[in-house]
Amino acid sequence: MKIAVVGSTGLVGGEILKVLEERNFPVTELIPVASERSVGKQITFKGKQVTVVGFEDAIKAKPAIAIFSAGGGTSLKLAPLFAEAGITVIDNSSAWRMDPTKKLVVPEINANTLTKEDKIIANPNCSTIQMVVVLNPLHKKYGVKRVVVSTYQSVTGTGKAAVDQLFAERSGDHSTEKVYPHPIDLNVLPHIDVFLDNGYTKEEMKMVNETKKIMGDDSILVTATTVRIPTIGGHSEAVNVEFGQDFDVAEVKEILEGAEGVVVQDDPKNFVYPMPLTAHGRDEVFVGRIRRDESRPNALNLWIVADNLRKGAATNAVQIAEYLLANNLA
Ligand SMILES: NC(=O)c1ccc[n+]([C@@H]2O[C@H](COP(=O)([O-])OP(=O)(O)OC[C@H]3O[C@@H](n4cnc5c(N)ncnc54)[C@H](OP(=O)(O)O)[C@@H]3O)[C@@H](O)[C@H]2O)c1
């Protein structure tokens, strides 16, 4: 299959190339796309050098699928051009996620809703993906009523410039371009994406709205506090979930052990729990610290970690592409 990767020189784009290679996706021709700044540069794919092209050349090459990770503005402008040319777009930005005419897909949950007519498919927000992969199997059994989530998010979620800011600050250089309004090394910022009129950030409202859309249930109540921390391996989340009925903690663990894409790491006495260091580079979502919330009936506490560049972005997008290929939908 001919595949274009729009944003191929970025953090997520680089991870998409790695995931396509590792999962042995049958790429017959790779078309790497980036901004004008990068046209003509070389990227490496499967040990070969491939030249970065502009979007017009990519459309002319007629790939079956274009995976986008080039920001919302680029996506709003370019995705329809690719779609009009018959190319199926899988988009990592937030541009199309809440558009009621577009599907918001986590393959473990709702890939079966995809059809040939879906020409722009939205990949959800990274912190939402890892949460719903764990919540959905529990929702099927017990019915999720309300979720209270606090996140501890990696700087890789902001892109290359943020990783540069962290390591420059760590080496004592405070002169680099600032992506965040404050230092990030040795600090914690209760601020991800822009602040909205309701006092929440856009990232927090993505978790509220995208969870309902992916799990197909508008009655699920979600409240979120999203926080940036100076780590690079992945995002972590403390999740408190209230169900419509009581549950057995051992059964919750059993359900999660059998859930697609989930790995249970829950042996705290032996210091086994999910961490960004151990989730880094992995495709699965890790869950641990599974325990009853003793302050409230039918409520459970979880600690969920995943590599935001992998399952939170690249892996989820490539899994959508795999589904399209397997079901002859692109
Ligand atoms: N990082 C995450 O955890 C994460 C997770 C989910 C979704 N996302 C989304 O993925 C997207 C990219 O994030 P990132 O972290 O990879 O950012 P990044 O490292 O800053 O990379 C941005 C990429 O977009 C390309 N680009 C910018 N303007 C373009 C244009 N006009 N036409 C074509 N390509 C253009 C850049 O090309 P140049 O190199 O030429 O500038 C670069 O390849 C964003 O929409 C982000 O919201 C990120």
Side-chain angles (χ1 to χ4, degrees):
M1 189 178 250
K2 250 193 211 183
I3 295 261
V5 175
V6 182
S8 54
T9 54
L11 272 188
V12 175
E15 211 63 31
I16 291 169
L17 299 177
K18 258 195 242 167
V19 173
L20 285 169
E21 270 192 57
E22 282 174 20
R23 295 175 74 95
N24 232 348
F25 191 92
V27 180
T28 52
E29 185 186 340
L30 176 83
I31 305 152
V33 185
S35 77
E36 287 299 318
R37 291 180 291 276
S38 305
V39 170
K41 276 190 187 163
Q42 302 281 308
I43 56 116
T44 309
F45 182 66
K46 291 193 173 173
K48 291 200 182 116
Q49 297 287 98
V50 192
T51 306
V52 173
V53 300
F55 76 90
E56 281 153 336
D57 285 342
I59 292 174
K60 273 189 218 138
K62 285 217 171 289
I65 293 177
I67 305 181
F68 272 59
S69 63
T74 306
S75 197
L76 277 176
K77 198 172 109 202
L78 300 186
L81 303 179
F82 279 70
E84 277 158 27
I87 302 159
T88 303
V89 171
I90 302 168
D91 182 43
N92 268 298
S93 80
S94 58
W96 306 98
R97 290 180 190 151
M98 294 314 294
D99 180 330
T101 67
K102 307 287 181 287
K103 309 250 168 84
L104 184 62
V105 176
V106 176
E108 291 86 343
I109 301 174
N110 60 352
N112 59 358
T113 60
L114 289 170
T115 68
K116 264 199 158 123
E117 282 64 53
D118 294 309
K119 285 290 168 212
I120 299 178
I121 301 163
N123 208 51
N125 168 256
C126 41
S127 32
T128 309
I129 293 179
Q130 67 184 69
M131 185 171 80
V132 295
V133 165
V134 172
L135 288 186
N136 197 59
L138 300 178
H139 182 52
K140 282 192 197 151
K141 177 77 183 181
Y142 309 115
V144 172
K145 272 177 65 182
R146 179 168 184 254
V147 179
V148 182
V149 54
S150 299
T151 69
Y152 306 71
Q153 296 185 221
S154 157
V155 294
T156 56
T158 320
K160 261 189 179 145
V163 180
D164 292 345
Q165 181 181 336
L166 170 63
F167 284 103
E169 286 173 2
R170 190 154 292 190
S171 70
D173 170 8
H174 289 264
S175 69
T176 49
E177 185 203 341
K178 293 273 176 281
V179 178
Y180 303 115
H182 302 282
I184 184 62
D185 192 31
L186 301 176
N187 204 4
V188 162
L189 309 179
H191 171 189
I192 296 187
D193 210 331
V194 295
F195 282 99
L196 303 172
D197 289 343
N198 65 358
Y200 286 81
T201 64
K202 208 167 160 192
E203 180 84 353
E204 288 161 352
M205 294 315 295
K206 284 176 197 167
M207 294 195 80
V208 173
N209 297 321
E210 293 182 24
T211 298
K212 295 174 198 238
K213 181 165 175 178
I214 299 160
M215 288 174 52
D217 188 340
D218 277 342
S219 73
I220 298 172
L221 303 171
V222 181
T223 187
T225 303
T226 58
V227 179
R228 188 74 67 194
I229 61 164
T231 188
I232 58 164
H235 293 346
S236 306
E237 296 173 347
V239 180
N240 178 271
V241 48
E242 188 179 331
F243 296 111
Q245 62 184 81
D246 199 12
F247 57 86
D248 175 56
V249 174
E251 190 183 53
V252 165
K253 287 187 189 175
E254 243 172 64
I255 292 171
L256 293 176
E257 272 157 3
E260 203 187 333
V262 175
V263 175
V264 175
Q265 290 180 327
D266 197 29
D267 185 6
K269 289 204 174 97
N270 288 309
F271 317 125
V272 175
Y273 33 69
M275 295 180 293
L277 259 183
T278 43
H280 196 186
R282 299 280 300 268
D283 287 327
E284 305 95 324
V285 176
F286 300 88
V287 60
R289 303 292 322 277
I290 302 168
R291 64 212 191 277
R292 186 175 286 280
D293 172 356
E294 292 175 345
S295 73
R296 202 164 172 84
N298 308 337
L300 180 78
N301 282 312
L302 303 165
W303 176 250
I304 301 172
V305 181
D307 186 333
N308 52 296
L309 295 179
R310 304 284 292 210
K311 184 57 185 168
T315 303
N316 199 69
V318 172
Q319 287 171 329
I320 294 173
E322 287 171 347
Y323 185 90
L324 296 174
L325 178 68
N327 293 280
N328 205 19
L329 297 176

